[in-house]
Amino acid sequence: MDIFLDVALVALVIYFVFAIRRSLRMSKASVRLINKYENDKRNPKLVEEIFSAINSDVLLKRILKRHGATQRDIAKLHAKLMKWGDFRKFNRYVPITSFFNVSTLEYLLEHKNDDAKSLTEKMMNHFHF
């Protein structure tokens, strides 16, 4: 029984380390894009880079596939978020950060046909704006 508990503890620690590493990697990608496009928010390359970053992450890529989302969907959602949420709070910027979180990306893709204001309010509430 002690061996089983030791193995379970080691597995939990390994899972925790990989989850934190993934979270930090996504946060770093988000902040990099925020800083890079701070003065050029309407640049179409921003959406390309967001979509590329999402596709490079295992969890976010699954959400994209589940919803059949394309770069065009991300561009439309980004435009909706830009309409009401075009401001920065520390290292959070709603039109970018919303795509790098599992729960917010899931919500955005499930409600992609909702109006811009309700989507932005939901994202702002999630990120405590």
Side-chain angles (χ1 to χ4, degrees), residues 22 26 30 33 46-47 49-51 53-55 57 59-61 63-64 69-82 93-106 108-109 119 123 127:
R22 183 204 153 275
M26 287 294 97
S30 174
L33 289 176
L46 171 59
V47 174
E49 288 192 45
I50 289 171
F51 190 73
I54 292 170
N55 271 320
D57 184 66
L59 298 178
L60 299 177
K61 188 174 184 176
I63 294 170
L64 285 179
T70 62
Q71 188 170 332
R72 174 182 255 162
D73 294 326
I74 300 301
K76 287 179 183 177
L77 288 167
H78 182 264
K80 285 182 178 185
L81 294 173
M82 284 292 293
Y93 178 63
V94 171
I96 295 176
T97 310
S98 300
F99 297 103
F100 289 89
N101 187 296
V102 173
S103 61
T104 56
L105 181 62
E106 183 82 41
L108 286 172
L109 293 174
L119 283 176
M123 295 303 108
F127 293 114

Side-chain angles (χ1 to χ4, degrees), residues 36-47:
K36 182 176 180 180
Y37 291 100
E38 185 172 19
N39 298 318
D40 194 14
K41 298 172 185 173
R42 305 257 184 227
N43 191 331
K45 290 193 181 266
L46 171 59
V47 174

